[in-house]
Amino acid sequence: MTTTIDFLSHLNPSQRQAVEHYCGPLLVVAGAGSGKTRALTYRIANLILKHRVDPENILAVTFTNKAAREMKERIQKLFAEQLAMKEHGQRFDLLTEYEQTKLRSQVWRTYIKDLWCGTFHSLFSRILRFDIEKYQDEKGRRWNRNFSIFDESDAQSLVKEIVTKQLNLDDKKFEPRSVRYAISNAKNQGFSPQEFEREQPNYRGRVIADVYSRYQDKLAENNALDFDDLILIPTKLFQQNEQVLGYWHRKFRHILVDEYQDTNRTQYDLIRLLVTNGEDRKSEWEWQNRSVFVVGDADQSIYSFRMADFTILLEFQNDFGDGLPDEDTRTMVKLEENYRSCENILQAANELIENNTQRIDKVLKPTRGAGEQIYCHKADDELEEADFVIRQIRTLEHQNPEVNWGSFAILYRTNAQSRPFEELLVKNQIPYTVVGGIKFYDRKEIKDVIAYLRAIANPADTVSLLRVINTPRRGIGKATIDNLINAAQQLGTTLWEIISDETSVNTLAGRSAKAVNNFAAMISNYQEQIANLPVSELLMGLLEESSYVQDLQNQGTDEAEDRIQNVQELYNATLQFQEENEDVSLTAFLQSAALSSDLDNLKEGQTAVSLMTLHASKGLEFPVVFLVGLEQGLFPNYRSMNDPAALEEERRLCYVGITRAQERLYLSFARERRLYGSREPALRSQFLDELPEELLTTKSKILQVYTKIPATSNGKQNTTQNWQVGDKVLHKTFGIGEITHVFGSGNKISVAIKFSSLGQKIIDPRVAQLQKIE
């Protein structure tokens, strides 16, 4: 008992209250950076150590497999430290390697091996391996326990086959990806095909319900489940079989759920069934030696597009708890002490999120000092925004020995915003990584469009031709392509030589001949226009004539919309390229694009600047965060402008971004931004106006803080200084440089300055308002 008290002494009072809770329901409202993983870990350890709960009677649900692994490792470490003191009288890290290995093995066998800890999908697929043969659905479909789990690609192929071959539907009206998305959403809401049809009795709903039903037939024929079935089928099984539910209810006496705000309705049904044994009457629930312990934060709910429903967390007190006000309840604990961020960052986050109405009231309380003010930068456009961010990163990295490239994160609302940052990072030879995604020029849709351009610029590029010959689909099948390739190989020529000859195609391609000839004519037409058309016009014409963007629009999914934005950003890149370069040929642009994804300087294990969407940043933290693109219509996005619920989710997303920052936070927006090829004026985000003014600083202040530039007594910079070779200076756009030459004298002076990333430029110091750095 003494060792248990000692190990709980590491917790703050709120954490300890949560961890020591034994039986009954408890909601832990865990603010950002408040130590929720620690609370979950110590709770499991406390159940086992103090209350002698068998590990196999504990079910701990995490949001990711990585979180499950981390939790098991932490629990293993806790028990190893306890055993080291108990059996050896000293700390674990002071034991010999042999003794440490022996202890870890003992802990694993005794405590970790039988603990059920993992994601919803991993845990309930494990349950299905035991009991799926006891289940049959409403149409009598059955599976056995050696079922396969189809990935998204398998699922897409099945749906496509049903839509285009079985039902001969118009795949523009019923785009297979869109239909698959609808089926997935139906499963996440717990709907069978029949229930989905009752929910959506219109023509489209009836057709999708039919596809859904046939899709389930195919899955059953293959003894396969998709990812959504791993949640839906256990729920249906528990609802139809009292014996099966009763067994698992008796087994899992203590249920813990992390990231509870990110659960969907089917996942909630699963937890409720296991906790209550299917009993609807709250008065009949038995809590002796039983608990449900959920951890979450409605203010960090940002996954509604995955059917997550944060109202499940808001309803916990009525569903399971005592339903009393916050100050009186015994079934809710708030973790409000933040161990991550400086006080100014937390105060900004608190004031922002208070504008939301659907939340549980809480305030993040600092455990650290005030820190630097938050810097808000107004950029001329997205290029100057990127230039500012990269200059700040270079300056901070140079001035602070404790800072490395891995200390910085650039967060944005959409993937398409990464391009200008990536290009400047490459130009400045700063290593970076795109977290939760792939680099701009490595994304599928960008590689597809670049492959079109490469096929036009270099007809011998067979790899690019093969990538796009049937992308989007033109009815050119694999057998036809194989025939064309074989002919080219036997004749010792390129694939283009074959497909650009109409007679050869008519001979080899059969029913696909017309499609191949049309494709070849399109490529040939643009090959003839290379010398006359700017890259931007060539790209725009190609996107339209190939129907590439139209195909994405027909898919009608969020993923397709994201891809369209990326293709539009590529068009922006061609416009920028034409503005900045003398050689604006297609070949020169393709070379520039290829170099933009060249990160040969990045060695394995080397630290790198992190670029990511705000959604991908959840759960991460960085010393310095740049939150960019804070403009109306971009962040918050335009779809939320007239939807109060959607706007609140956008605000939660902003709250998540702000609370990623530990030491310093930079916010930026642009006066105008290039969208869809044209420059459009931009309005600063309403979220900026919801932050307290006293916490924000401006450009003139920030330069004094970070570069120690002296100002004259009237606040203006001294522009009539005696400039000398060797002076270090700051230019508001080009950054820090060194004077190499001085021309003229008096009011007609100009200076040549060498900038580390931009080379040498001759500048009038009066116009540029150069600032000397001491």
Side-chain angles (χ1 to χ4, degrees):
M1 193 69 67
T2 306
T3 56
T4 304
I5 294 171
D6 287 340
F7 105 92
L8 292 182
S9 66
H10 297 292
L11 306 175
N12 68 38
S14 296
Q15 290 172 335
R16 184 159 189 152
Q17 183 184 350
V19 166
E20 291 189 315
H21 174 83
Y22 179 35
C23 295
L26 189 70
L27 166 63
V28 180
V29 180
S34 63
K36 71 180 180 65
T37 305
R38 166 174 279 209
L40 283 160
T41 302
Y42 276 70
R43 171 166 174 74
I44 292 172
N46 195 57
L47 284 172
I48 296 169
L49 275 176
K50 181 178 179 181
H51 300 289
R52 307 302 176 195
V53 174
D54 192 319
E56 70 172 15
N57 297 138
I58 298 173
L59 181 76
V61 185
T62 61
F63 192 60
T64 64
N65 289 313
K66 179 183 176 184
R69 287 193 300 271
E70 180 185 347
M71 196 176 296
K72 286 180 180 177
E73 288 166 3
R74 288 197 188 190
I75 295 168
Q76 187 174 18
K77 185 169 184 250
L78 274 175
F79 280 117
E81 288 169 350
Q82 295 293 309
L83 274 178
M85 292 302 297
K86 182 178 178 181
E87 296 186 2
H88 299 277
Q90 56 182 328
R91 295 202 321 260
F92 178 80
D93 60 342
L94 298 178
L95 301 179
T96 66
E97 188 174 336
Y98 170 76
E99 289 169 333
Q100 288 182 2
T101 302
K102 188 177 177 183
L103 269 187
R104 275 196 297 264
S105 177
Q106 183 179 342
V107 167
W108 176 262
R109 289 193 312 272
T110 308
Y111 303 110
I112 310 300
K113 181 172 63 71
D114 294 330
L115 181 67
W116 284 61
C117 180
T119 64
F120 272 103
H121 293 92
S122 66
L123 292 171
F124 287 94
S125 63
R126 186 175 167 190
I127 287 175
L128 288 177
R129 294 292 179 192
F130 289 99
D131 284 330
I132 196 169
E133 291 172 357
K134 299 177 180 128
Y135 170 74
Q136 69 173 18
D137 71 8
E138 67 286 344
K139 275 192 66 177
R141 303 182 189 96
R142 305 187 75 96
W143 288 259
N144 60 51
R145 63 178 61 185
N146 67 336
F147 58 85
S148 300
I149 300 174
F150 276 5
D151 64 18
E152 191 56 32
S153 175
D154 299 323
Q156 291 280 2
S157 296
L158 277 185
V159 171
K160 178 183 174 182
E161 181 183 340
I162 294 164
V163 168
T164 60
K165 294 181 180 177
Q166 280 193 25
L167 297 176
N168 293 316
L169 296 170
D170 182 344
D171 63 1
K172 289 185 172 57
K173 288 183 180 177
F174 293 96
E175 205 286 322
R177 280 180 179 272
S178 180
V179 174
R180 164 68 188 131
Y181 186 69
I183 293 171
S184 178
N185 282 350
K187 289 187 176 185
N188 283 322
Q189 294 175 82
F191 296 148
S192 68
Q194 289 89 332
E195 290 166 334
F196 178 79
E197 186 172 354
R198 286 197 292 272
E199 285 287 315
Q200 299 195 26
N202 54 35
Y203 171 67
R204 181 173 179 81
R206 292 196 303 274
V207 172
I208 291 176
D210 187 19
V211 176
Y212 181 3
S213 182
R214 291 168 184 262
Y215 172 69
Q216 292 303 108
D217 289 340
K218 284 285 186 185
L219 287 173
E221 285 173 21
N222 288 277
N223 190 34
L225 305 178
D226 65 20
F227 268 67
D228 301 314
D229 287 325
L230 299 179
I231 308 300
L232 180 60
I233 288 183
T235 307
K236 299 284 189 184
L237 171 60
F238 289 165
Q239 288 169 341
Q240 72 179 221
N241 192 312
E242 292 181 2
Q243 288 75 28
V244 171
L245 174 59
Y247 172 82
W248 295 106
H249 168 74
R250 289 189 298 274
K251 179 176 178 61
F252 296 130
R253 306 196 65 82
H254 296 277
I255 297 175
L256 302 88
V257 186
D258 192 11
E259 304 286 8
Y260 194 64
Q261 78 279 350
D262 293 326
T263 52
N264 61 40
R265 283 291 158 184
T266 315
Q267 292 166 336
Y268 164 77
D269 288 342
L270 261 183
I271 295 300
R272 185 182 175 94
L273 284 163
L274 280 175
V275 169
T276 68
N277 199 27
E279 174 58 65
D280 291 330
R281 292 168 298 177
K282 201 171 178 179
S283 59
E284 298 298 313
W285 294 350
E286 175 57 62
W287 290 113
Q288 186 176 0
N289 297 322
R290 178 175 294 283
S291 68
V292 57
F293 180 95
V294 304
V295 182
D297 180 7
D299 292 339
Q300 297 186 72
S301 176
I302 58 174
Y303 296 116
S304 65
F305 64 95
R306 296 179 186 166
M307 303 307 294
D309 184 353
F310 72 96
T311 63
I312 291 170
L313 181 144
L314 299 181
E315 294 163 1
F316 180 90
Q317 283 287 68
N318 288 328
D319 288 348
F320 295 104
D322 54 27
L324 296 175
D326 292 5
E327 58 272 15
D328 300 322
T329 182
R330 298 174 62 86
T331 56
M332 180 172 69
V333 173
K334 296 179 184 179
L335 304 185
E336 297 177 294
E337 290 185 59
N338 176 283
Y339 297 93
R340 176 188 298 155
S341 305
C342 292
E343 183 177 355
N344 286 340
I345 294 169
L346 296 183
Q347 191 176 337
N350 286 332
E351 295 214 18
L352 174 78
I353 205 64
E354 280 180 7
N355 289 280
N356 273 12
T357 58
Q358 290 190 290
R359 60 188 299 262
I360 295 173
D361 186 49
K362 73 173 191 321
V363 176
L364 293 177
K365 299 173 183 175
T367 58
R368 306 178 56 200
E372 301 283 352
Q373 283 184 289
I374 298 166
Y375 176 41
C376 183
H377 178 70
K378 179 180 180 179
D380 289 334
D381 56 24
E382 76 278 5
L383 303 179
E384 199 271 312
E385 178 184 51
D387 180 70
F388 163 75
V389 169
I390 304 316
R391 283 192 292 111
Q392 289 298 318
I393 288 173
R394 287 182 65 90
T395 301
L396 289 171
E397 194 272 342
H398 177 71
Q399 291 181 352
N400 299 278
E402 74 280 5
V403 168
N404 60 47
W405 301 126
S407 302
F408 303 98
I410 303 171
L411 310 183
Y412 35 77
R413 181 62 181 83
T414 67
N415 276 313
Q417 291 172 256
S418 75
R419 182 188 63 82
F421 298 99
E422 290 191 55
E423 291 185 348
L424 274 183
L425 287 163
V426 169
K427 187 180 291 185
N428 284 272
Q429 297 186 314
I430 297 175
Y432 73 94
T433 181
V434 179
V435 178
I438 53 178
K439 296 181 176 63
F440 183 82
Y441 285 102
D442 287 342
R443 291 168 184 154
K444 178 191 180 300
E445 58 276 14
I446 302 304
K447 290 174 77 71
D448 286 346
V449 178
I450 291 290
Y452 269 108
L453 296 176
R454 285 171 52 184
I456 292 167
N458 177 18
D461 188 345
T462 298
V463 170
S464 293
L465 274 175
L466 287 174
R467 184 179 184 101
V468 298
I469 192 171
N470 199 40
T471 304
R473 298 186 307 278
R474 300 182 175 88
I476 304 173
K478 183 178 183 301
T480 298
I481 294 172
D482 288 344
N483 286 342
L484 297 169
I485 292 172
N486 289 336
Q489 289 174 342
Q490 290 189 34
L491 293 175
T493 188
T494 64
L495 177 63
W496 174 249
E497 287 295 323
I498 300 297
I499 67 173
S500 61
D501 179 67
E502 191 171 333
T503 303
S504 299
V505 171
N506 289 340
T507 304
L508 295 167
R511 287 179 297 178
S512 301
K514 183 178 179 181
V516 175
N517 284 327
N518 287 343
F519 170 75
M522 176 180 67
I523 298 296
S524 182
N525 175 48
Y526 284 106
Q527 286 173 346
E528 293 169 4
Q529 298 186 64
I530 286 178
N532 304 319
L533 279 183
V535 178
S536 58
E537 289 184 32
L538 191 150
L539 176 61
M540 185 58 74
L542 187 64
L543 289 173
E544 184 174 346
E545 193 171 339
S546 68
S547 299
Y548 191 88
V549 172
Q550 184 63 53
D551 181 68
L552 289 172
Q553 289 172 340
N554 291 341
Q555 292 176 20
T557 65
D558 287 351
E559 179 186 359
E561 182 63 32
D562 203 33
R563 292 183 185 277
I564 291 170
Q565 290 183 16
N566 288 333
V567 172
Q568 289 165 340
E569 184 62 15
L570 181 63
Y571 176 65
N572 291 342
T574 64
L575 294 176
Q576 181 186 334
F577 176 80
Q578 289 166 191
E579 293 167 359
E580 296 179 349
N581 294 274
E582 290 184 22
D583 182 359
V584 294
S585 66
L586 175 57
T587 302
F589 173 73
L590 288 171
Q591 177 175 306
S592 171
L595 292 175
S596 288
S597 60
D598 179 12
L599 274 181
D600 292 339
N601 297 329
L602 184 57
K603 299 179 178 62
E604 190 170 345
Q606 184 176 342
T607 56
V609 176
S610 295
L611 278 71
M612 70 192 81
T613 64
L614 285 148
H615 283 101
S617 73
K618 181 103 183 319
L620 303 177
E621 57 186 40
F622 301 90
V624 183
V625 166
F626 295 86
L627 181 45
V628 303
L630 278 155
E631 297 143 32
Q632 292 292 95
L634 182 59
F635 190 33
N637 68 20
Y638 70 92
R639 284 178 290 188
S640 69
M641 304 306 291
N642 297 311
D643 182 343
L647 183 61
E648 291 211 351
E649 175 143 341
E650 290 288 293
R651 188 177 286 111
R652 293 195 292 270
L653 195 55
C654 188
Y655 174 84
V656 166
I658 288 172
T659 54
R660 299 310 95 196
Q662 297 169 297
E663 309 290 339
R664 293 183 180 178
L665 174 64
Y666 294 77
L667 309 173
S668 67
F669 64 100
R671 182 175 53 81
E672 65 175 31
R673 188 174 293 271
R674 180 174 272 153
L675 294 170
Y676 317 121
S678 61
R679 290 217 167 272
E680 301 289 343
L683 295 174
R684 61 184 264 146
S685 170
Q686 67 187 82
F687 297 153
L688 290 172
D689 298 326
E690 293 171 5
L691 300 177
E693 284 187 24
E694 67 273 15
L695 297 181
L696 303 181
T697 190
T698 60
K699 190 166 190 172
S700 58
K701 295 176 185 174
I702 207 76
L703 290 177
Q704 290 175 18
V705 169
Y706 291 123
T707 58
K708 302 177 183 176
I709 297 168
T712 55
S713 58
N714 63 3
K716 296 181 180 178
Q717 298 300 326
N718 185 354
T719 59
T720 59
Q721 296 187 44
N722 180 25
W723 302 104
Q724 296 181 354
V725 173
D727 283 351
K728 292 279 195 307
V729 296
L730 179 76
H731 186 280
K732 70 173 185 176
T733 301
F734 303 140
I736 297 173
E738 181 178 333
I739 296 178
T740 59
H741 297 81
V742 178
F743 306 100
S745 60
N747 291 332
K748 296 184 178 179
I749 198 169
S750 59
V751 294
I753 305 172
K754 185 176 182 181
F755 297 96
S756 59
S757 61
L758 300 170
Q760 205 157 38
K761 294 182 181 292
I762 299 175
I763 290 171
D764 183 336
R766 294 167 302 161
V767 175
Q769 293 193 338
L770 283 180
Q771 301 165 350
K772 188 180 291 188
I773 303 174
E774 293 184 344

